[in-house]
Amino acid sequence: MTIDPGQAFPAELSRQIKDRFHHVDQDFTGRPRLFFENAGGSLRLKAALEAMAKVDAVPDSAERIHEVAAWLKQVQTRGTDDVRLLFNATGGTVHASLTASAAMFDMVRAVAENVPGDNIVTTVLEHPSSYDAASLYAQRLGKELRVARSNQVTGGIDVEEILRLVDGRTCLLVLIYASNISGAKLELEQIVRRAREIKPDLYVVVDAVQHAPHGLIDLHKTPVDGINIAPYKFFGCRGSGFSWISGRLAVLPHHKLAGKPAPYWDLGSVAPWQFAVVTEIVDYVCWIGSQFGAQGDRRTLFARGMEQIGLHERALLARLLQGSDRGPGLRGIPGVTVLLDHDDLPRRDLILAIALQGLEHTQAVREYEKRGVIVYERVASSIYSRRMLESFGMDGAVRVSPLHCHTFTDVDRFLEVTREICAGFGR
């Protein structure tokens, strides 16, 4: 298979993009730094932080009738519309929560407790918020938990591996959109369509937290019942999660104030700044889309922007793997093993797992930090890593996760540091 090299942003656009983010080339103290740990929490848009500060400084309650309250309500309304736009969703309920993980537990609980069926299907690659929620309610309700195995070559989950577990008694299918260790994307459109051929009314809930910043989500093509994102991994701010919940899931019994409508999921007063941040994220992606000639409605601009982000990140991934005339990529550096590696780059988000010969993963991360590069160790002692790593037959990895605001120059610097570390340890 030939590597699809993607398409990098023009240099001037990359410069403008980088300027819209905080701390891309240096940390908050001003020290030079390369932040390749965006899978743990992405670099922040300046506009998102500014919107948060502006809106959260307003003391008024959006539940009142005066002018400023009405403005806050408009902020929430536009942000709600932008969540639907991001997912390409119509109807249903937009739910704002403190974290995406909390919303995942709530969605899983609503289905597990109220939809007939004796089994729940999920995958071994789930984030603990999905896997543990499925496991908890399966155990509590006496349902069988069926877990799809990973593919140790692609780092993902094969479609047939999931489908073999689904039957007419499955009440819920819980899926991660893309692995947060390998970057492998699940073939969600095919999985949803074929799973519902087995059980037409099957409920499907998806964790899109990891994938959302890297690729376009389209619920018209993948009609799931619940899906979540975490804005802090999507160029936004911590302390916020958003979910879209289908009409039929939203009316299942769930925690809510008795006087609220049946599909209402928010508990207490939501924070208007959460919605303002989502609008800034969507504005930014639409701006990128406009730089590539996209015209028309906001969703069209957003879709083109996400497409170009994906193409740029694929170009970064190809350079990380293959290198350039400036030096070899990770595949060609003595002492480096690229784990879960394959050439079908369109099926991979911009996340890499590597191992450095002779260096324990945590030690390797520290060596990178000494040289001004931030990456992350995925090790079996972590509750966020053990299950996935064991499924791959691995004891750990160094996770490398740049973002679209990075450039070939940043990638080349990372490769230079990697060569330096390997050479310094006798390779």
Side-chain angles (χ1 to χ4, degrees):
M1 179 180 294
T2 302
I3 290 180
D4 181 337
Q7 179 184 356
F9 293 137
E12 174 56 23
L13 180 58
S14 273
R15 186 196 66 76
Q16 294 179 43
I17 286 172
K18 186 172 280 195
D19 189 56
R20 288 178 176 238
F21 283 83
H22 284 291
H23 308 312
V24 182
D25 295 322
Q26 53 189 251
D27 67 16
F28 75 100
T29 70
R31 292 175 299 185
R33 186 177 78 159
L34 194 58
F35 189 77
F36 274 21
E37 218 284 274
N38 291 279
S42 73
L43 292 159
R44 307 283 196 262
L45 277 171
K46 294 175 182 177
L49 272 293
E50 290 165 2
M52 178 186 183
K54 175 182 176 180
V55 175
D56 204 40
V58 177
D60 305 63
S61 168
E63 304 298 321
R64 306 299 182 253
I65 63 173
H66 53 269
E67 183 178 352
V68 175
W71 175 77
L72 289 173
K73 182 61 79 175
Q74 289 174 359
V75 169
Q76 291 181 206
T77 298
R78 188 177 188 202
T80 298
D81 291 343
D82 282 335
V83 172
R84 286 197 172 89
L85 180 150
L86 189 155
F87 289 129
N88 202 22
T90 55
T93 292
V94 171
H95 172 41
S97 55
L98 180 64
T99 66
S101 295
M104 178 58 70
F105 267 83
D106 289 341
M107 291 188 290
V108 168
R109 176 182 182 178
V111 177
E113 289 187 339
N114 298 289
V115 174
D118 58 20
N119 69 82
I120 295 171
V121 176
T122 189
T123 84
V124 72
L125 297 187
E126 300 303 307
H127 185 275
S129 63
S130 306
Y131 188 92
D132 292 357
S135 177
L136 171 68
Y137 289 106
Q139 182 178 19
R140 184 173 294 179
L141 299 167
K143 299 179 187 289
E144 178 188 4
L145 181 68
R146 299 176 177 177
V147 183
R149 300 165 300 193
S150 63
N151 183 317
Q152 295 188 0
V153 175
T154 67
I157 306 285
D158 295 339
V159 174
E160 298 298 334
E161 171 63 15
I162 294 172
L163 295 178
R164 75 177 181 85
L165 301 178
V166 176
D167 60 28
R169 294 297 299 165
T170 303
C171 71
L172 174 63
L173 173 59
V174 182
L175 299 169
I176 194 166
Y177 213 125
S179 168
N180 58 18
I181 290 181
S182 70
K185 294 183 281 189
L186 272 64
E187 296 180 65
L188 190 62
E189 184 175 351
Q190 185 180 168
I191 292 168
V192 172
R193 175 178 55 81
R194 293 181 61 190
R196 288 204 174 119
E197 289 174 357
I198 299 170
K199 185 180 182 185
D201 62 348
L202 179 66
Y203 281 77
V204 183
V205 173
V206 172
D207 171 7
V209 170
Q210 190 61 65
H211 175 65
H214 304 292
L216 187 65
I217 297 171
D218 188 346
L219 294 192
H220 284 183
K221 294 181 178 179
T222 57
V224 303
D225 292 284
I227 188 167
N228 65 350
I229 60 169
Y232 85 93
K233 288 195 178 182
F234 203 162
F235 334 138
C237 306
R238 289 189 183 274
S240 176
F242 276 100
S243 304
W244 178 84
I245 304 168
S246 72
R248 65 173 187 159
L249 196 163
V251 297
L252 293 176
H254 58 276
H255 290 150
K256 75 174 188 68
L257 301 180
K260 295 290 186 178
Y264 194 82
W265 278 59
D266 293 342
L267 286 171
S269 299
V270 297
W273 70 259
Q274 292 179 270
F275 298 85
V277 166
V278 170
T279 291
E280 292 296 340
I281 293 168
V282 173
D283 280 349
Y284 166 72
V285 176
C286 288
W287 169 75
I288 292 179
S290 73
Q291 304 305 300
F292 290 88
Q295 298 178 354
D297 62 22
R298 195 163 161 81
R299 172 66 187 187
T300 299
L301 289 167
F302 181 84
R304 184 59 184 275
M306 289 306 305
E307 176 187 353
Q308 294 300 145
I309 284 173
L311 288 171
H312 178 76
E313 292 194 343
R314 193 178 305 161
L316 297 182
L317 178 57
R319 194 167 180 117
L320 277 165
L321 293 170
Q322 297 292 94
S324 67
D325 56 7
R326 295 192 58 182
L330 292 170
R331 288 171 172 168
I333 299 175
V336 175
T337 300
V338 183
L339 305 166
L340 308 168
D341 187 23
H342 63 90
D343 281 344
D344 193 355
L345 300 194
R347 292 182 60 188
R348 300 171 64 172
D349 282 338
L350 185 54
I351 301 173
L352 280 169
I354 64 174
L356 273 58
Q357 183 181 343
L359 282 173
E360 189 273 329
H361 306 299
T362 301
Q363 184 185 5
V365 167
R366 291 183 176 132
E367 291 299 324
Y368 275 110
E369 185 179 13
K370 289 176 184 178
R371 295 161 177 82
V373 177
I374 301 300
V375 288
Y376 178 58
E377 72 280 6
R378 299 302 302 251
V379 292
S381 59
S382 167
I383 64 168
Y384 295 99
S385 304
R386 180 186 303 112
R387 173 173 21 87
M388 303 82 147
L389 290 171
E390 288 178 350
S391 82
F392 294 135
M394 294 161 42
D395 65 350
V398 175
R399 185 177 67 187
V400 182
S401 55
L403 200 61
H404 74 274
C405 57
H406 289 117
T407 64
F408 283 159
T409 299
D410 298 320
V411 167
D412 292 343
R413 173 59 184 156
F414 174 79
L415 294 173
E416 178 185 345
V417 168
T418 303
R419 291 192 292 269
E420 179 184 322
I421 292 172
C422 290
F425 282 83
R427 286 169 293 279

